[in-house]
C-alpha cells in the first residue's frame, strides 16, 4: 500500500517535499493538503511524477486558469505549456536571475508548476527565496519607507533581450507592464511580502531616479540572502510548484553542454494589493 501523503520541510524558512502522492490522481483531501502546504512552505517539491502534458495541465488547472506566456509560443497544441529547455546549442537558459514569473503582468501569476523530464548529471539546480522572510528581515524604518510605495514592472527590456539572444523576431510586439505595490499582502495568508525583482522591476514611482535605483539595488541584493533560500536538486520526473506571490527563484545554468528539459504551466493570479 502507498504511504499516505506527508509533508517534509526542506528548511525552516522555505520549501517542503511532499511524499506519498500521485499528482495525476489527486483526491480532494490530498489537493487541500497540498494547497495548505503551499501557503505554509511557499514552494513544494514532488519526486517520480509521471505527468505528461495533459495531466500536468489538469493538475495546474485545479489551482486556477492557466495563462499563456507573453513571450513564449508554448508547445504545439498547448499554448499554455512553456518548454524550459537548454542544451549544447543554447545561448541562454530561462530564469537565470532572481525573479517572480511574469511580474510585469497586471495580474501576475499566482503560481507555476515545473516538471523536468531530462536533467544533467550534476548542476541545473533551482534556488527559491522566501519574500515574507525578506520583508520581515528589513529594519522597521525601511519597512515603513517601503509600505505604500509602488514600482513599475515592465516585460519589454527583458523579453526583447531574450529575443535578441535567441534570434527571434518579436515583430515589434508590446509587452505587459504594470504598477504594483513594492510590498504586497498575500491574499491567502495575509502576510506581507517584498514584490520587486531584478528581471522586471524598473523603478519606484514618485522617487528621483537615483533614489529609486539605490533602493532597488539594496532590495535586489537583500532578496538574494542565503538565509531566505532553499536549493532544489532536480531528478527526472521531479516537479516543483511555487507561489509567485511570496517567492522568487533563480535557475542556475552551470551544466553546459548537457541538456536540461521540462515543461511549465503558470496559473493566473490577482492584481497585487
Ligand atoms: C523559470 O521558470 O524561471 C525556470 C526555472 C527553472 O528552470 O528551474
Amino acid at each position: 500500500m502507498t504511504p499516505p501523503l506527508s509533508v517534509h520541510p526542506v528548511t525552516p524558512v522555505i520549501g517542503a517535499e511532499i511524499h506519498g502522492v500521485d499528482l495525476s490522481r489527486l483526491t480532494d483531501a490530498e489537493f487541500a493538503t497540498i494547497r495548505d502546504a503551499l501557503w505554509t512552505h511557499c514552494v513544494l517539491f514532488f519526486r517520480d511524477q509521471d505527468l505528461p502534458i495533459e495531466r500536468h495541465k489538469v493538475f495546474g488547472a485545479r489551482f486556477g486558469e492557466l495563462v499563456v506566456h507573453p513571450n513564449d509560443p508554448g508547445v504545439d497544441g498547448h499554448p499554455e505549456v512553456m518548454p524550459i529547455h537548454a542544451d549544447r546549442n543554447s545561448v541562454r537558459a530561462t530564469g537565470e536571475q532572481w525573479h517572480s514569473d511574469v511580474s510585469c503582468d497586471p495580474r501576475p501569476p499566482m503560481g507555476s508548476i515545473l516538471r523536468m523530464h531530462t536533467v544533467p548529471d550534476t548542476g541545473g539546480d533551482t534556488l527559491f527565496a522566501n519574500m515574507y522572510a525578506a520583508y520581515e528581515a528589513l529594519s522597521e524604518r525601511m519597512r515603513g519607507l517601503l509600505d505604500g510605495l509602488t514600482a513599475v514592472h515592465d516585460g519589454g527590456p527583458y523579453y526583447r533581450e531574450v529575443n535578441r539572444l535567441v534570434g527571434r523576431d518579436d515583430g515589434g510586439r508590446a509587452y505587459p507592464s504594470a504598477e504594483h505595490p513594492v510590498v504586497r499582502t498575500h491574499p491567502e495568508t495575509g502576510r506581507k511580502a517584498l514584490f520587486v525583482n531584478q528581471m522586471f522591476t524598473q523603478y519606484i514611482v514618485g522617487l528621483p531616479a537615483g533614489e529609486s535605483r539605490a533602493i532597488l539595488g539594496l532590495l535586489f541584493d537583500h532578496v538574494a540572502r542565503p538565509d531566505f533560500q532553499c536549493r532544489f536538486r532536480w531528478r527526472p520526473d521531479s516537479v516543483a510548484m511555487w507561489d509567485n506571490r511570496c517567492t522568487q527563484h533563480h535557475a542556475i545554468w552551470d551544466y553546459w553542454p548537457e541538456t536540461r528539459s521540462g515543461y511549465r504551466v503558470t496559473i493566473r493570479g490577482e492584481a497585487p494589493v
Side-chain angles (χ1 to χ4, degrees):
M1 215 174 97
T2 329
L5 187 158
S6 55
V7 180
H8 304 262
V10 173
T11 78
V13 176
I14 182 168
E17 288 202 12
I18 309 291
H19 298 174
V21 74
D22 175 350
L23 294 180
S24 68
R25 293 192 291 132
L26 274 189
T27 64
D28 288 347
E30 287 172 332
F31 176 69
T33 306
I34 288 172
R35 269 181 56 124
D36 288 349
L38 186 63
W39 306 156
T40 305
H41 299 285
C42 308
V43 52
L44 304 179
F45 306 113
F46 307 84
R47 299 290 188 190
D48 303 319
Q49 297 296 322
D50 177 22
L51 204 63
I53 283 177
E54 281 297 353
R55 291 192 221 159
H56 190 161
K57 281 170 46 174
V58 169
F59 173 53
R62 290 192 76 150
F63 289 87
E65 181 195 352
L66 303 185
V67 287
V68 175
H69 192 273
N71 194 44
D72 193 290
V75 173
D76 257 4
H78 303 279
E80 65 283 72
V81 178
M82 180 183 177
I84 302 286
H85 179 92
D87 62 23
R88 71 162 49 249
N89 299 314
S90 300
V91 293
R92 67 174 288 272
T94 304
E96 280 184 90
Q97 42 181 316
W98 284 107
H99 67 287
S100 171
D101 291 325
V102 199
S103 71
C104 52
D105 197 277
R107 290 176 59 190
M110 61 86 33
S112 305
I113 305 171
L114 176 60
R115 172 175 176 263
M116 283 294 166
H117 54 78
T118 307
V119 298
D121 286 340
T122 59
D125 297 355
T126 308
L127 306 180
F128 294 90
N130 181 326
M131 292 302 107
Y132 301 132
Y135 174 71
E136 287 158 11
L138 291 169
S139 68
E140 204 177 324
R141 285 273 174 107
M142 181 55 86
R143 292 200 304 265
L145 171 68
L146 299 179
D147 283 335
L149 289 177
T150 60
V152 168
H153 297 228
D154 186 356
Y158 175 70
Y159 293 136
R160 285 197 191 94
E161 176 61 7
V162 169
N163 293 338
R164 189 189 66 75
L165 282 172
V166 302
R168 182 163 58 202
D169 180 8
D170 61 26
R173 95 161 73 165
Y175 289 101
S177 169
E179 187 175 329
H180 296 312
V182 169
V183 178
R184 71 182 292 184
T185 302
H186 194 287
E188 301 292 338
T189 64
R191 294 178 69 188
K192 288 182 171 183
L194 263 186
F195 196 65
V196 290
N197 67 84
Q198 59 181 226
M199 195 176 273
F200 296 114
T201 311
Q202 306 297 322
Y203 61 90
I204 297 178
V205 175
L207 293 185
E211 290 182 15
S212 166
R213 252 197 322 273
I215 293 173
L216 286 178
L218 179 152
L219 294 177
F220 295 160
D221 288 346
H222 177 73
V223 300
R225 253 172 56 173
D227 48 329
F228 307 144
Q229 295 176 22
C230 70
R231 178 173 182 133
F232 187 53
R233 171 92 194 94
W234 294 89
R235 298 201 293 253
D237 294 337
S238 295
V239 171
M241 172 166 196
W242 57 91
D243 185 336
N244 281 301
R245 301 168 295 187
C246 57
T247 63
Q248 292 192 34
H249 56 285
H250 182 317
I252 301 176
W253 190 27
D254 55 358
Y255 49 87
W256 188 91
E258 286 202 61
T259 299
R260 178 178 183 271
S261 202
Y263 298 109
R264 189 184 94 190
V265 299
T266 308
I267 303 144
R268 187 179 300 287
E270 56 287 306
V273 289

